[in-house]
Each structure stands twice: as structure tokens, then as C-alpha cells.
């Protein structure tokens, strides 16, 4: 089973992905590590204070990894770009805006980076792109939920299908 976790930075992907991998005994894949290892950064966008990733190449590398793993938990706000046919479930994490702002500020993100991510969450960019890609979506708001409770919800959703 291939599960991808997408969502605005700070909404709780990595926390949940790692806990879920442990619970389901699936391997955990940190896409940032793949990006580093495969040299997939095209350039640094100074204005946005973020790296520009070669999304086409990344998708190819990830599909290859999917094909060589029976089960996988993939953690990245870019993971919904993996074509739907390779993915069983696409979890989209969400978070209350006030809480998200606090989480991002705690990361010492610049004001503009906090704002950019807040806007991404307000406009549900990841969720809308995941819907557009026709993923089998599980939306999870992590604001007031424990990891244990979130995992339970995921397990229920998986067992429904
Ligand atoms: P992402 O990988 O989407 O950027 P993280 O998993 O790194 O998000 O979480 C961002 C911050 O939010 C961390 O400080 C983490 O402790 C907190 N957090 C994540 N999930 C929860 C949750 N379910 N309840 C409370 N805090 C959470
Ligand atoms: Mn993360």
C-alpha cells in the first residue's frame, strides 16, 4: 500500500507520517532526502526563500521507488504530484490558521515565508491539486488531534476501502 502525505508546511505531515509508518510497519520516505540525494534542486528562489525542485524528475524517481516497495509512506508537500495510479491514499493535513501561524513562526521562517504558507493553507492549494489529480483523499485537521487519534482515523479509512 502506497500512502502519500501532502499539505501546507507546518500542518503536521512529518509527525503523522513517521507515527503512521511506525504503527503500520511501513517504510517512511522523506522526499527532501530524495531531492538532496538525486540533486533535484534546479535553483534557489531568493524572493521566496525556497528551493525550486525539478518536479518532473522527482516524480519519476518516486514512481521508481514505489515500484520497488510493496508498502511506502511518502512525506512531502509535493507528494500529490505522483500520478494517482501509483497511490492508494493521499492524506492531506490541514491546520487552524492561528495555530499554523504559531507553528511556522516557531520555525523562524521569514515574515514573507510565513505569509506565503498561510496563503497556501487559506486557498487549500495542496488539497485542490490533490483533488484535481483525482487522488483517493483523506483530509485530516491536526489542530486539536493527537497522533494516536489521527492514526485511528487513517486506519478506519483504509479498512473501509
Ligand atoms: P509538516 O511536516 O507538515 O511541516 P510537522 O509534522 O513538522 O509538519 O509539524 C509542524 C509542527 O506542528 C511541529 O512543531 C509539530 O510538533 C506540530 N504538530 C504536528 N502535528 C501535531 C498534532 N497532531 N498535534 C499537535 N501539534 C502537532
Ligand atoms: Mn515535514
Amino acid at each position: 500500500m502506497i500512502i502519500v502525505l501532502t499539505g501546507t508546511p507546518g500542518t503536521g505531515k512529518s509527525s503523522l507520517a513517521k507515527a503512521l509508518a511506525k504503527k503500520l510497519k511501513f517504510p517512511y520516505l522523506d522526499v527532501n532526502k530524495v531531492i538532496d540525494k538525486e540533486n533535484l534542486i534546479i535553483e534557489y528562489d531568493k524572493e521566496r526563500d525556497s528551493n525550486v525542485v525539478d518536479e518532473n524528475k522527482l516524480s519519476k524517481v518516486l514512481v521508481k521507488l514505489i515500484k520497488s516497495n510493496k508498502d511506502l509512506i511518502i512525506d512531502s508537500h509535493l507528494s500529490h504530484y505522483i500520478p494517482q495510479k501509483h497511490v492508494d491514499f493521499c492524506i492531506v493535513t490541514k491546520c487552524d490558521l492561528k495555530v499554523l501561524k504559531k507553528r511556522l513562526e516557531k520555525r523562524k521562517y521569514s515574515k514573507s515565508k510565513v505569509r506565503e504558507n498561510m496563503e497556501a493553507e487559506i486557498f487549500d492549494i495542496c488539497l485542490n491539486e490533490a483533488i484535481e489529480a483525482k487522488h483517493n483523499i483523506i483530509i485530516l485537521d491536526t489542530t486539536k488531534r493527537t497522533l494516536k487519534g489521527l492514526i485511528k482515523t487513517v486506519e478506519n479509512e483504509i479498512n473501509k476501502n
Side-chain angles (χ1 to χ4, degrees):
M1 180 179 299
I2 307 299
I3 302 175
V4 306
L5 286 97
T6 186
T8 309
T11 53
K13 295 179 296 297
S14 301
S15 308
L16 178 59
K18 286 172 195 164
L20 198 57
K22 205 171 166 193
K23 178 79 204 300
L24 299 176
K25 298 192 171 68
F26 287 4
Y28 165 79
L29 184 71
D30 180 350
V31 172
N32 286 327
K33 290 205 173 131
V34 177
I35 291 169
D36 278 349
K37 196 170 156 239
E38 304 281 334
N39 269 316
L40 299 178
I41 292 169
I42 302 169
E43 59 174 359
Y44 170 68
D45 184 338
K46 203 173 166 203
E47 214 152 281
R48 291 180 59 230
D49 181 25
S50 68
N51 290 319
V52 180
V53 173
D54 187 334
E55 284 165 15
N56 275 332
K57 267 194 201 157
L58 175 63
S59 193
K60 278 184 194 146
V61 173
L62 293 177
V63 168
K64 226 184 227 172
L65 283 167
I66 285 173
K67 286 183 175 166
S68 55
N69 281 274
K70 186 163 81 64
D71 303 306
L72 208 52
I73 306 267
I74 303 178
D75 170 14
S76 167
H77 66 286
L78 302 172
S79 65
H80 59 275
Y81 288 133
I82 301 167
Q84 189 279 329
K85 64 178 177 185
H86 300 293
V87 177
D88 295 293
F89 292 97
C90 176
I91 296 173
V92 182
T93 51
K94 291 200 46 68
C95 181
D96 176 87
L97 291 174
K98 270 191 195 154
V99 174
L100 181 61
K101 191 157 185 272
K102 280 198 193 122
R103 287 185 186 176
L104 293 171
E105 283 168 352
K106 207 171 152 191
R107 282 186 176 170
K108 308 255 182 281
Y109 278 6
S110 64
K111 264 189 183 163
S112 65
K113 200 157 173 159
V114 170
R115 194 181 317 124
E116 185 189 345
N117 284 313
M118 293 293 286
E119 283 174 7
E121 184 63 4
I122 289 165
F123 292 113
D124 273 327
I125 307 264
C126 288
L127 175 59
N128 285 318
E129 288 178 356
I131 292 170
E132 192 118 319
K134 297 195 162 45
H135 279 294
N136 191 11
I137 295 168
I138 302 172
I139 302 173
L140 293 176
D141 190 322
T142 70
T143 315
K144 291 174 186 156
R145 307 267 324 264
T146 62
L147 285 174
K148 213 172 165 187
L150 291 166
I151 287 171
K152 194 90 218 127
T153 304
V154 174
E155 286 181 317
N156 287 341
E157 288 297 318
I158 290 172
N159 291 329
K160 250 194 228 165
N161 288 264

